[in-house]
Amino acid sequence: MQIVDYISNIKTEKRMIRKGYIRYFLPTMGGLIFTQIAPIVDSLCISRALGDVAVSAMSPVYPIIAIYDMFAAMIGIGGGICMSKAGGAGNRERAGRAFTLSVISLAIVSAVLTVLFYIFMDPVLRLLSATPDNIAYAKEYLTVFLSGSFALVFQLAFTYILTNDNNPNLSMAGGIVSAIVNIVIDYVGLFVLHKGIGAAAFGTVFGMFVGCMVFLLHLRKKDRMCHFVWHSNKESTIHFTEIVKPGLPQALSYILVIIQSSQANYILESSLGVSGLGNVAIIYNVQIIAATIILSVTGAAFPMFASYYGEGNKDGIRIIKRISLRFGILIFLPVMGILLVCPKLVTLLFSTKDPVMLATLPSAIRITAVAKSIMLINMVFCAHLQSVDKEETALIANVLQGIMQIVAAFFLTMVIPDNAAWYGMLLSYVITYLYLVVFCGELKGIMSDEPESICFIRGGKVDEGAIGKWYEEARAFLSDGEADRVHEKMLVPFCGHLSRDAGIDGTFFILEKENGDRSVILRYDKNKDKMVEELEGLATGEEDNMYNECICSRLNAVNRMMINFKAKE
């Protein structure tokens, strides 16, 4: 497809996508830094207050917490992606239905898991390599954690859901408040009141509960997609499987964390005893640091991938993938460099005194740093696949990574038992990367500037003169009736508000979709816009409103006006 001046006009769209990505990325990372800091603070406080044996008790506990994380991420990401797709297509009722099913699912999952772990606590901990020396610590921590585990599930899930609902700043605020409460309770409970390891668990769950209370402020937003829809019409009907499928690859990644932790516990406990379990606990915290960056990169990409997919905009999806990879690599390189050059900083941070741990941890930290850099790239690819209805491909990538990790670690144990788990992880990420690039083509065309779904685009500074010129040029791609509709429903209201401000960036383009439908879109960058507030939600999800009406919304941190035209018979 050849478009006159495509490259020069797409620059404004790229700039708005980049600004939107940053507006998601920064609060997402800020929130996750504080959210992910909770287990690190727990480990630090436990290590300094109670010693190495107590911190080793966290090794069998972490896989259990990861199971809660798994379901929360699966439902939160899946529900959020469904909401963004619906928002991209202009169907807010369907978005509300996705939110409703997500909340119901989270409540059921948290209740079922808590009952099961209360009943089978002892055998599960022993299965996860708890020892006679540390099982009492593990049981004390887990008992307190289970009492408030529902808060963890809702807090993590809503971190994704609020980001997809154009409120990443509140998502960040909830994470920050949660972490501060956790840190204060950990310090007071362990160092002032000397209440033991249970105080650290209480700090974690109570902090998550306070974070959930902060998230309730989102209900004040009039334009939110997070609203309950108990009954749905034909166009907004959504099934539970549609909520679960997009989040399945992410859920599987948590299963892999559980498998990796359990296998590492077994291998290193057999090789190094309690010192090996201490290694696993500290490497788990190193992985949390890496996960904070990775989840920030993918967390910012998910709502943008999904909404542009719902919009039918392949050009935008390609730009988002490129930006996500660049940001991720740029942010992760300094962290990887520090871990490669100065791994002993981690042992100093955790006040490690065990001579076996001091001798074996540096190499484990270095291997983990390289492995996680490759994982970052893989996760961006999987985030793209999950958001564009290719969940099965992302799922295969995760399954491949898990199988290779288990097999590689098993065989490497015979040669290098002290680092077998970490080299197995590195090898599995490399093989998964090759699968995604060679067989799935995730790098194909990523640097291209050839149009895919856009058949007409103009961009730059917006004023009435520019709008008039763009409209006249666009008429060649529209029927007379479509052109009149665009003028009446989109451009006249827009120009009526335009006089209040000058110098805003905007793009005006036409998308041709695979099913023959077309969309005329006017996207402009303006933080507060009364027109959007007045006209937002004009399309309610009814079939006759999905076409020929102007849908106004704030999406991906910019404003959008869109009219869909049905394919001609």
Side-chain angles (χ1 to χ4, degrees):
M1 185 187 297
Q2 295 294 324
I3 302 177
V4 177
D5 296 330
Y6 174 81
I7 294 177
S8 61
N9 282 288
I10 198 68
K11 287 181 180 178
T12 304
E13 183 75 359
K14 287 180 182 178
R15 188 160 56 247
M16 287 195 290
I17 290 175
R18 191 181 302 113
K19 288 179 70 174
Y21 184 87
I22 294 172
R23 287 170 181 169
Y24 278 126
F25 177 83
L26 292 178
T28 300
M29 188 169 190
L32 281 171
I33 285 173
F34 283 90
T35 299
Q36 297 290 334
I37 209 172
I40 297 177
V41 169
D42 282 355
S43 296
L44 283 171
C45 292
I46 291 167
S47 177
R48 291 176 179 271
L50 303 175
D52 290 338
V53 174
V55 79
S56 73
M58 298 304 294
S59 292
V61 170
Y62 284 143
I64 296 173
I65 296 176
I67 291 174
Y68 281 93
D69 289 343
M70 174 188 72
F71 282 101
M74 178 177 70
I75 297 170
I77 290 175
I81 286 175
C82 287
M83 289 168 60
S84 288
K85 287 179 183 176
N91 193 334
R92 285 189 171 273
E93 185 171 337
R94 182 176 171 83
R97 186 60 182 158
F99 170 75
T100 304
L101 284 180
S102 298
V103 172
I104 294 171
S105 302
L106 289 169
I108 294 173
V109 163
S110 60
V112 171
L113 287 178
T114 298
V115 171
L116 290 176
F117 282 125
Y118 263 126
I119 295 173
F120 300 106
M121 185 183 300
D122 281 15
V124 168
L125 287 173
R126 290 192 178 91
L127 180 66
L128 295 172
S129 301
T131 67
D133 293 329
N134 64 22
I135 193 169
Y137 286 115
K139 287 178 66 175
E140 181 182 349
Y141 186 98
L142 189 57
T143 300
V144 177
F145 170 80
L146 291 177
S147 65
S149 56
F150 72 93
L152 171 72
V153 171
F154 275 90
Q155 206 259 6
L156 178 57
F158 270 76
T159 297
Y160 294 107
I161 289 173
L162 293 189
T163 300
N164 278 270
D165 199 8
N166 299 296
N167 203 351
N169 290 330
L170 186 62
S171 176
M172 175 182 68
I176 291 174
V177 171
S178 174
I180 291 173
V181 171
N182 178 43
I183 292 169
V184 171
I185 293 176
D186 279 0
Y187 179 81
V188 173
L190 287 168
F191 296 102
V192 179
L193 301 178
H194 305 288
K195 291 296 183 181
I197 199 170
F202 177 74
T204 297
V205 296
F206 188 73
M208 296 289 184
F209 175 78
V210 175
C212 290
M213 296 300 100
V214 173
F215 289 163
L216 291 177
L217 296 174
H218 185 65
L219 299 178
R220 299 182 307 169
K221 286 191 67 177
K222 295 180 180 179
D223 60 338
R224 69 183 187 275
M225 290 187 287
C226 290
H227 62 283
F228 288 102
V229 176
W230 302 107
H231 303 286
S232 57
N233 57 38
K234 180 181 177 181
E235 289 298 312
S236 62
T237 297
I238 191 166
H239 301 288
F240 176 72
T241 53
E242 295 178 72
I243 298 293
V244 173
K245 278 183 65 178
L248 270 179
Q250 198 79 11
L252 185 59
S253 71
Y254 280 94
I255 294 176
L256 296 177
V257 170
I258 297 168
I259 293 172
Q260 175 199 326
S261 299
S262 302
Q263 187 183 37
N265 284 347
Y266 175 78
I267 292 172
L268 291 177
E269 197 271 335
S270 300
S271 174
L272 303 174
V274 175
S275 300
L277 294 178
N279 278 8
V280 176
I282 290 177
I283 291 297
Y284 180 86
N285 286 282
V286 173
Q287 293 188 73
I288 287 176
I289 296 171
T292 300
I293 298 173
I294 294 170
L295 292 174
S296 299
V297 172
T298 57
F302 271 126
M304 299 195 73
F305 276 137
S307 60
Y308 274 74
Y309 179 69
E311 191 176 87
N313 191 338
K314 294 181 180 179
D315 301 70
I317 290 172
R318 181 185 63 226
I319 295 168
I320 295 164
K321 189 193 294 187
R322 188 190 307 169
I323 291 172
S324 300
L325 287 172
R326 286 176 176 172
F327 261 83
I329 293 170
L330 181 66
I331 297 295
F332 195 79
L333 275 179
V335 176
M336 184 176 71
I338 292 171
L339 294 175
L340 287 174
V341 176
C342 305
K344 290 186 178 180
L345 287 176
V346 177
T347 61
L348 290 173
L349 182 65
F350 284 90
S351 302
T352 304
K353 299 179 178 64
D354 187 308
V356 176
M357 293 174 66
L358 290 172
T360 54
L361 267 174
S363 60
I365 292 169
R366 289 189 177 102
I367 297 165
T368 301
V370 176
K372 292 302 173 181
S373 65
I374 300 170
M375 180 189 178
L376 183 149
I377 299 172
N378 293 346
M379 291 292 284
V380 171
F381 292 156
C382 287
H384 165 244
L385 293 169
Q386 289 171 247
S387 303
V388 299
D389 290 339
K390 294 183 180 179
E391 301 92 347
E392 293 83 358
T393 305
L395 199 60
I396 290 171
N398 280 277
V399 170
L400 175 65
Q401 191 258 310
I403 292 173
M404 291 308 305
Q405 181 169 330
I406 295 169
V407 173
F410 175 78
F411 283 106
L412 289 171
T413 302
M414 305 173 189
V415 184
I416 45 173
D418 295 353
N419 286 317
W422 321 126
Y423 274 117
M425 176 175 62
L426 173 59
L427 183 61
S428 69
Y429 289 147
V430 171
I431 293 172
T432 304
Y433 171 82
L434 293 174
Y435 166 74
L436 289 167
V437 171
V438 176
F439 292 97
C440 303
E442 277 299 298
L443 284 179
K444 184 179 179 181
I446 192 170
M447 300 306 295
S448 171
D449 275 321
E450 290 295 318
E452 291 187 69
S453 54
I454 292 177
C455 65
F456 169 85
I457 183 168
R458 292 293 181 266
K461 295 297 180 182
V462 179
D463 56 39
E464 287 196 47
I467 288 291
K469 181 180 178 182
W470 296 348
Y471 170 67
E472 290 301 323
E473 293 174 346
R475 288 183 66 95
F477 299 86
L478 302 170
S479 68
D480 290 341
E482 290 170 343
D484 291 342
R485 198 74 172 172
V486 169
H487 183 265
E488 175 190 353
K489 293 290 185 177
M490 178 186 292
L491 301 184
V492 169
F494 177 76
C495 290
H497 288 72
L498 186 61
S499 59
R500 302 176 186 177
D501 293 280
I504 61 174
D505 286 334
T507 53
F508 181 63
F509 57 96
I510 302 172
L511 292 175
E512 285 189 347
K513 304 180 184 181
E514 292 181 351
N515 64 357
D517 288 356
R518 289 188 298 169
S519 296
V520 179
I521 296 175
L522 174 61
R523 202 184 327 268
Y524 58 102
D525 186 15
K526 189 177 175 187
N527 287 335
K528 293 183 179 180
D529 190 61
K530 291 184 178 180
M531 177 175 61
V532 169
E533 293 177 3
E534 293 167 3
L535 302 182
E536 205 163 34
L538 185 62
T540 61
E542 297 291 344
E543 186 173 4
D544 58 353
N545 277 342
M546 292 303 295
Y547 295 99
N548 304 316
E549 295 292 340
C550 186
I551 303 167
C552 300
S553 59
R554 184 164 177 81
L555 203 63
N556 300 322
V558 294
N559 302 310
R560 184 192 68 175
M561 303 178 75
M562 177 175 71
I563 299 179
N564 296 318
F565 294 111
K566 197 171 183 63
K568 295 178 181 178
E569 299 295 337

